């Protein structure tokens, strides 16, 4: 990953955190990692734990940012979420998986928040 790509990704995650906080979400964790899986943001709102994947792009030549959250990526997020939820303080909470896609155009950013972007299905 190039420095420019990493910088863009970090900027996107910071924007996503600000967006969520401004909409009443409490941020519990950022960059929660287990083995080869990572969740960008774990938040809570209305007694629900929200696992948020943030995808930032400068263009859509390879598809929208949300399209990058493919089945393989979803499996990794679900794996990490299951570890996070094993903490006894979260056993009674609902959860969902959201995606925040961010498109940058220079210093301007467009945020698209997708609630319930994917679900755990029995194949996992």
């Amino acid at each position: 990953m190039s420095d420019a790509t990493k910088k863009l990704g970090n900027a996107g995650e910071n924007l996503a955190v600000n967006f969520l906080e401004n909409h009443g979400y409490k941020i519990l964790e950022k960059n929660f990692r287990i083995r080869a899986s990572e969740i960008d943001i774990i938040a809570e709102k209305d007694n629900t734990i929200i696992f948020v994947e943030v995808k930032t792009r400068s263009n859509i030549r390879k598809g929208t940012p949300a399209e990058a959250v493919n089945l393989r990526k979803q499996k990794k997020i679900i794996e990490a979420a299951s570890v996070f939820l094993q903490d006894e303080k979260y056993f009674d909470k609902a959860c969902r998986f959201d995606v925040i896609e961010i498109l940058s155009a220079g210093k301007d950013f467009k945020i698209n928040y997708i609630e319930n972007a994917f679900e755990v299905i029995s194949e996992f």
Side-chain angles (χ1 to χ4, degrees):
M1 179 183 310
S2 73
D3 285 342
T5 302
K6 189 171 187 114
K7 189 175 180 180
L8 181 63
N10 289 338
E13 286 186 17
N14 290 334
L15 283 168
V17 165
N18 290 336
F19 175 87
L20 291 169
E21 288 176 336
N22 289 336
H23 286 85
Y25 291 76
K26 176 183 174 190
I27 305 303
L28 302 176
E29 297 262 349
K30 292 190 288 184
N31 304 112
F32 178 80
R33 182 181 300 276
I34 61 153
R35 296 180 296 282
S37 301
E38 180 185 27
I39 299 171
D40 294 327
I41 301 169
I42 302 173
E44 183 176 12
K45 184 176 182 182
D46 300 329
N47 209 36
T48 300
I49 303 298
I50 301 106
F51 301 98
V52 182
E53 177 67 10
V54 180
K55 288 295 181 190
T56 308
R57 299 284 187 269
S58 57
N59 61 62
I60 58 170
R61 282 182 286 222
K62 295 182 180 179
T64 67
E67 289 173 335
V69 186
N70 57 26
L71 187 58
R72 182 171 179 248
K73 182 68 175 172
Q74 291 174 22
K75 286 181 180 181
K76 288 181 173 283
I77 293 167
I78 291 166
E79 177 184 15
S82 67
V83 171
F84 181 84
L85 291 170
Q86 289 175 17
D87 188 318
E88 64 184 52
K89 64 185 170 189
Y90 301 117
F91 79 95
D92 64 340
K93 300 197 185 254
C95 71
R96 71 173 195 247
F97 298 90
D98 296 355
V99 172
I100 294 180
E101 63 176 3
I102 301 173
L103 283 170
S104 75
K107 294 185 185 239
D108 294 327
F109 292 88
K110 179 183 176 201
I111 296 174
N112 182 27
Y113 185 37
I114 306 165
E115 291 185 17
N116 292 308
F118 60 92
E119 298 177 346
V120 177
I121 54 175
S122 60
E123 294 176 17
F124 291 117

